[in-house]
Amino acid sequence: PKVLQHGAHRVGKRTDVEMATWRGYGMGQFIHWGVYSLFGGELNGNYYNGAAEWIRSWKDMPNGVYDSAYKQFNPSSFDATQWAKMAKQMGVRYVTFTTKHHDGFCLWPSKYTDYTIANSPCKKDIVKQVVDAYTKEGIDVYLYFSIMDWHNPDWRYDLKTKEDSVAFERFKLFTKKQLTELLQQYPQTKGLWFDGTWDNSWKKSGAFTDTLEQYLKTLHPGLIIGSRFRADEFGNRHVDATGVLMGDYEQGWERKIPKTYADVHGNDWDCVMTIPENGWGYQKKWLGHWKTTNEILEMTAQCVSLGGNFVLNFGPKPDGTFRPEEVEIAKEAGEWMKINNAAIYNCEYAGWEKQDWGYYTKKTNENKVYMIVFNVPVSRSLKVKPSKNTLVDKAYLLTAPGKTLSLEKLDYDASFIQLPSAQYKQPFVIVLETKEGGEKSDEQKAKT
Ligand SMILES: COc1ccc([C@@H]2N[C@@H](C)[C@@H](O)[C@H]2O)cc1
């Protein structure tokens, strides 16, 4: 088989401390904010039926209207410290913030284009204020950057002519310069979240993406970059021609969650999710269903139970404040996380057979498995079937460690935990302290 020059340079998960920290986050926040927020998905009383941050591409957007809108961007109530405090209270441990979306507007004073916050009424370095405020609250910051840039005349969807290639060479250099200034101006950044990399122009630039990623990681050791950035020399994205993930984690779980552990193929991964059905930037009208706090908590538990993180998106209004629904969700999720975050932070896939009552998570490097219970059966009997060679030594509610719960043994490898009769109005956590024992697993048998 062909030897890849620009495919993955590592097989399997990263083993360094920065990635171990990323792996243990559990819950994160995404923030989409920019010129598109001014429109909120609406123009002259008509609602755009796509994602609000894509409104520039709407057929009903008259030429020039979007590109001059930045002259109105003046968020009078923007306060990054308030944003960071809301995030801290929610319990998120990392945030991904839009520095430049597909529209090309830069929320930092880039030296390489005039289409930036410096030439808007706002003038503040928004990126700096967000990076500083979240870092101060102890929340790690990742910077979202769209490669596709609708405002830059050198952007190309494909490379068909010599002129295309000459323009796109300029564009690639522009991209490298902007990424360099982001890492140099905001060195607290832990990683870059790339988007807008699906077009042929980028897929034909595999060698460049490889060189650029290596350059960025040399410039900023430990930098974390997901699988949405690279292309190999055959134009494959996420996974190279030999089937190996190109990136420090699988970045394809956008508005979808893996069903089983097999779906994650042993990679690190996170899921980025909207509160409404679709749409990342502020939308004046949320169409269809938007997720309740319990749905969001269940998605968080589901992701952590499959070895990933869950990242929830917020779309601030043009004035810099959040919608009341988003503030409420952050508050309610935070109240739950305050009590139950032991089952979310620094946890991983437990490898136990999933049961109907909810999700297992395992504390990394500890003999502790958590049951995050969403569905109490009418019998109040929760079935527990540990993985092979694992026994439950003790069980108790996370909120009542002194009251051991009894396990009624069923057959040789399963038990029932009988729940105390109570009104269970919130998802809750049971702690299982485990020890080795019981039937050996195949690999344990092989070792002896
Ligand atoms: C072609 O489908 C999409 C869908 C969403 C996106 C962008 N990724 C999300 C994280 C948002 O930034 C959205 O605009 C891009 C292309």
Side-chain angles (χ1 to χ4, degrees):
K2 52 204 168 217
V3 175
L4 272 180
Q5 297 303 315
H6 301 295
H9 300 301
R10 186 199 71 253
V11 180
K13 294 178 177 178
R14 265 176 56 169
T15 55
D16 56 295
V17 66
E18 286 86 0
M19 202 68 209
T21 301
W22 188 93
R23 195 171 290 132
Y25 284 144
M27 183 190 267
Q29 179 186 47
F30 216 139
I31 293 194
H32 278 73
W33 201 40
V35 168
Y36 43 79
S37 310
L38 290 164
F39 295 93
E42 178 265 338
L43 184 70
N44 306 327
N46 300 317
Y47 284 89
Y48 173 47
N49 68 358
E53 69 286 352
W54 275 68
I55 197 168
R56 185 182 186 277
S57 63
W58 189 17
K59 63 176 176 35
D60 294 0
M61 175 64 72
N63 281 342
V65 165
Y66 187 97
D67 286 345
S68 58
Y70 77 110
K71 292 294 183 194
Q72 323 302 324
F73 194 77
N74 193 8
S76 50
S77 307
F78 170 61
D79 179 348
T81 302
Q82 281 309 311
W83 287 17
K85 288 188 179 312
M86 182 183 86
K88 188 70 177 179
Q89 190 279 331
M90 179 175 171
V92 304
R93 300 220 290 182
Y94 64 134
V95 65
T96 299
F97 181 70
T98 46
T99 61
K100 181 178 88 167
H101 204 261
H102 311 328
D103 63 352
F105 183 69
C106 303
L107 272 77
W108 83 98
S110 174
K111 294 193 290 293
Y112 305 105
T113 169
D114 294 336
Y115 194 44
T116 83
I117 195 80
N119 298 317
S120 79
C122 173
K123 305 222 179 305
K124 293 175 186 168
D125 183 341
I126 300 284
V127 172
K128 176 165 178 49
Q129 295 200 7
V130 168
V131 170
D132 290 351
Y134 275 79
T135 304
K136 192 163 171 230
E137 286 295 328
I139 299 172
D140 285 347
V141 180
Y142 292 72
L143 299 180
Y144 169 108
F145 182 90
S146 176
I147 297 291
M148 176 174 71
D149 180 330
W150 292 327
H151 189 268
N152 187 311
D154 288 334
W155 165 255
R156 291 290 183 281
Y157 288 98
D158 202 347
L159 306 176
K160 292 212 180 316
T161 66
K162 180 83 181 108
E163 193 280 333
D164 284 342
S165 297
V166 169
F168 205 64
E169 281 310 306
R170 287 195 298 266
F171 185 81
K172 289 177 344 187
L173 182 57
F174 161 74
T175 299
K176 178 178 177 182
K177 285 177 174 177
Q178 284 206 314
L179 291 171
T180 301
E181 76 179 340
L182 282 173
L183 292 181
Q184 290 179 335
Q185 305 285 339
Y186 317 109
Q188 309 98 311
T189 301
K190 303 290 184 206
L192 296 171
W193 205 99
F194 288 101
D195 207 358
T197 56
W198 50 81
D199 287 302
N200 282 342
S201 52
W202 195 253
K203 288 163 76 172
K204 289 175 178 173
S205 305
F208 171 75
T209 68
D210 188 8
T211 307
L212 180 56
E213 183 175 80
Q214 294 186 48
Y215 162 77
L216 294 171
K217 291 196 167 189
T218 305
L219 188 63
H220 197 301
L223 193 68
I224 293 174
I225 296 176
S227 63
R228 206 178 282 204
F229 182 54
R230 292 272 312 284
D232 72 9
E233 59 257 49
F234 300 101
N236 297 297
R237 294 176 60 241
H238 291 279
V239 169
D240 70 19
T242 68
V244 181
L245 188 77
M246 285 182 286
D248 298 323
Y249 64 95
E250 169 55 72
Q251 204 184 339
W253 300 104
E254 177 174 319
R255 292 195 303 125
K256 51 183 188 277
I257 297 177
K259 293 262 173 307
T260 67
Y261 190 63
D263 294 332
V264 306
H265 303 290
N267 295 318
D268 280 314
W269 62 279
D270 68 2
C271 159
V272 292
M273 185 61 76
T274 51
I275 297 174
E277 282 168 33
N278 190 7
W280 302 76
Y282 170 62
Q283 295 174 133
K284 286 175 185 164
K285 233 162 84 173
W286 275 358
L287 310 172
H289 171 75
W290 57 86
K291 299 165 187 74
T292 62
T293 301
N294 275 338
E295 281 179 273
I296 285 156
L297 292 174
E298 179 152 5
M299 290 178 175
T300 304
Q302 191 177 358
C303 287
V304 176
S305 77
L306 292 174
N309 298 322
F310 180 72
V311 179
L312 188 66
N313 181 69
F314 289 72
K317 297 193 287 191
D319 69 355
T321 63
F322 290 98
R323 297 176 65 109
E325 297 89 341
E326 293 186 351
V327 173
E328 186 60 16
I329 283 168
K331 178 174 163 294
E332 290 174 347
E335 284 157 0
W336 188 87
M337 285 291 279
K338 193 170 170 60
I339 297 166
N340 300 289
N341 67 50
I344 300 295
Y345 295 158
N346 306 316
C347 285
E348 62 191 41
Y349 171 62
W352 295 19
E353 182 185 290
K354 169 120 180 37
Q355 304 294 335
D356 292 342
W357 43 257
Y359 307 89
Y360 289 116
T361 62
K362 179 186 176 303
K363 184 64 76 181
T364 299
N365 299 328
E366 283 185 35
N367 292 329
K368 249 181 202 169
V369 168
Y370 298 95
M371 299 166 59
I372 311 177
V373 182
F374 287 86
N375 315 306
V376 174
V378 287
S379 65
R380 292 184 198 284
S381 301
L382 304 184
K383 184 172 183 182
V384 172
K385 189 174 179 189
S387 55
K388 282 191 175 154
N389 192 35
T390 304
L391 290 175
V392 176
D393 196 26
K394 195 175 167 193
Y396 50 88
L397 284 166
L398 179 62
T399 51
K403 273 171 55 186
T404 304
L405 298 174
S406 62
L407 282 97
E408 178 204 350
K409 283 202 71 56
L410 297 176
D411 40 35
Y412 62 92
D413 68 356
S415 306
F416 265 148
I417 289 182
Q418 197 56 37
L419 282 177
S421 62
Q423 289 296 320
Y424 296 95
K425 290 196 177 70
Q426 291 271 4
F428 59 93
V429 174
I430 291 174
V431 185
L432 303 176
E433 292 182 2
T434 64
K435 62 184 178 185
E436 282 198 18
E439 190 183 344
K440 285 199 182 313
S441 62
D442 302 345
E443 55 269 24
Q444 259 112 6
K445 283 174 190 157
K447 275 183 200 150
T448 47

